[in-house]
């Protein structure tokens, strides 16, 4: 898999390229990353990549031409490297606060593909004519404001690369993840390790019992209660998908009673 990043800040990508799980996978050749700086595709002495918005307003807008030349260079390099299937050029994806929110389903889909050309914006925005001509898809990280698309692109790549075959050890397996089928889309239960008592706080007894069935029941209860408290939307989704059984529903009723004790009456 190959990602081509169109960015004014190529140095930022050392984080995902060189560190941790994604860094190890990169070193093993499972994926690659190339950067293309729009500033290198300018032709004026000041190497201008932005200008003032037509119609007025705050901030600056990225020029279409340096972005277009950078995308064309990335496309040509991918073609030369044989990075894409014949006749199936990689999608051009813009990281944007106005995009569709990224999620695990999108990460899973991308993990089946050969990569993408990712456009990282800076300033107030990008000339819409570039977006109309070149961008296939706009993706957001969520409803908060970033200073540019680079961190979004790194989050996106990290979420995809860790799903590629051979990237995770068994011990870090994606099969134990918060969004994996075994957990029915619920949040994961809490984790504990040595020592058994830390500053007077004990590890929950079921985890020390050695009874695998009791441990599984405790973890499921913890997952359900935590998810109900923090992400009721995920409970509703799991229920709609038929992933909660009668015992799960009893645990949720019990958790709701603990949360909101019954009125003792007048
Ligand atoms: C008031 C107008 N702002 C839109 C919310 C302008 C604006 C702010 C921040 C335009 C671009 C940006 C830079 N953000 C991104 O490039 C970005 C982003 C984000 O801000 N939030 C969530 N996901 C993403 S992906 C790229």
């Amino acid at each position: 898999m190959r990602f081509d990043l169109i960015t004014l800040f190529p140095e930022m990508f050392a984080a995902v390229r060189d560190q941790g799980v994604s860094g190890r996978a990169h070193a093993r050749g499972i994926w690659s990353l190339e950067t293309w700086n729009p500033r290198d595709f300018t032709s004026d002495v000041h190497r201008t990549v932005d200008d003032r918005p037509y119609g007025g307003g705050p901030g600056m807008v990225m020029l279409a031409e340096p972005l277009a030349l950078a995308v064309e260079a990335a496309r040509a390099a991918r073609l030369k490297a044989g990075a894409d299937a014949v006749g199936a050029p990689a999608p051009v994806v813009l990281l944007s606060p106005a995009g569709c929110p990224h999620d695990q389903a999108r990460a899973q889909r991308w993990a089946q593909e050969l990569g993408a050309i990712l456009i990282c914006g800076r300033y107030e925005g990008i000339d819409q004519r570039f977006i109309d001509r070149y961008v296939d898809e706009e993706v957001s990280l969520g409803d908060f404001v970033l200073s540019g698309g680079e961190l979004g692109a790194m989050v996106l790549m990290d979420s995809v690369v860790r799903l590629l075959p051979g990237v995770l050890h068994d011990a870090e397996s994606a099969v134990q993840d918060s969004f994996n089928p075994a957990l029915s889309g619920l949040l994961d239960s809490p984790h504990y390790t040595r020592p058994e008592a830390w500053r007077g706080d004990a590890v929950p007894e079921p985890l020390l019992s050695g009874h695998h069935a009791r441990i599984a029941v405790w973890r499921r209860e913890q997952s359900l209660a935590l998810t109900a408290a923090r992400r009721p939307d995920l409970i509703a989704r799991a229920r709609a998908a038929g992933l909660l059984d009668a015992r799960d529903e009893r645990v949720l009723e019990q958790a709701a009673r603990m949360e909101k004790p019954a009125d003792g009456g007048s």
Side-chain angles (χ1 to χ4, degrees):
M1 176 172 290
R2 167 170 166 160
F3 289 104
D4 290 81
L5 281 300
I6 312 298
T7 175
L8 292 168
F9 297 99
E11 297 85 359
M12 287 180 72
F13 292 91
V16 66
R17 183 203 276 132
D18 300 340
Q19 303 291 325
V21 165
S22 59
R24 190 179 66 211
H26 183 267
R28 293 169 57 205
I30 294 174
W31 70 292
S32 63
L33 186 157
E34 301 294 335
T35 59
W36 307 89
N37 192 336
R39 215 173 281 287
D40 295 334
F41 296 88
T42 55
S43 39
D44 64 314
V45 68
H46 295 110
R47 311 225 293 160
T48 308
V49 293
D50 64 333
D51 206 337
R52 293 155 63 198
Y54 280 119
M60 300 289 271
V61 175
M62 289 183 83
L63 296 172
E65 186 62 12
L67 287 169
L69 293 173
V71 169
E72 295 299 349
R75 274 192 181 145
R78 290 184 72 100
L79 196 63
K80 192 171 171 206
D84 299 317
V86 176
V92 175
V93 178
L94 172 64
L95 282 300
S96 160
C100 300
H102 184 54
D103 62 12
Q104 192 66 17
R106 177 188 305 274
Q108 304 265 14
R109 281 197 304 277
W110 281 36
Q112 310 298 315
E113 308 294 334
L114 293 174
I117 298 174
L118 303 179
I119 315 289
C120 304
R122 285 275 155 174
Y123 315 116
E124 276 303 298
I126 294 177
D127 191 309
Q128 186 62 35
R129 294 168 294 184
F130 166 79
I131 299 174
D132 293 343
R133 282 223 195 185
Y134 284 89
V135 172
D136 298 309
E137 192 178 345
E138 295 186 46
V139 178
S140 164
L141 263 293
D143 294 335
F144 44 84
V145 181
L146 298 173
S147 304
E150 284 80 4
L151 284 168
M154 284 191 263
V155 169
L156 205 143
M157 289 188 285
D158 184 84
S159 72
V160 173
V161 164
R162 64 194 301 288
L163 297 176
L164 297 177
V167 169
L168 295 185
H169 299 133
D170 281 354
E172 341 167 290
S173 173
V175 173
Q176 284 290 321
D177 273 1
S178 278
F179 294 94
N180 100 19
L183 281 165
S184 319
L186 306 177
L187 303 181
D188 200 3
S189 56
H191 299 271
Y192 297 87
T193 186
R194 295 193 297 175
E196 210 173 294
W198 178 74
R199 299 188 180 184
D201 291 344
V203 172
E205 193 278 327
L207 298 180
L208 305 174
S209 69
H211 288 82
H212 297 310
R214 269 190 73 203
I215 293 167
V217 166
W218 181 86
R219 285 183 169 156
R220 185 72 177 182
E221 289 169 357
Q222 293 289 314
S223 278
L224 287 161
L226 186 68
T227 310
R230 295 195 186 159
R231 295 292 304 276
D233 60 310
L234 296 181
I235 295 285
R237 201 198 291 185
R239 185 177 286 131
L243 297 172
L244 303 182
D245 64 15
R247 192 171 66 184
D248 292 333
E249 295 292 358
R250 283 199 298 278
V251 170
L252 288 168
E253 275 169 43
Q254 173 68 21
R257 278 199 295 276
M258 303 278 284
E259 186 70 27
K260 194 174 60 170
D263 187 348
S266 57

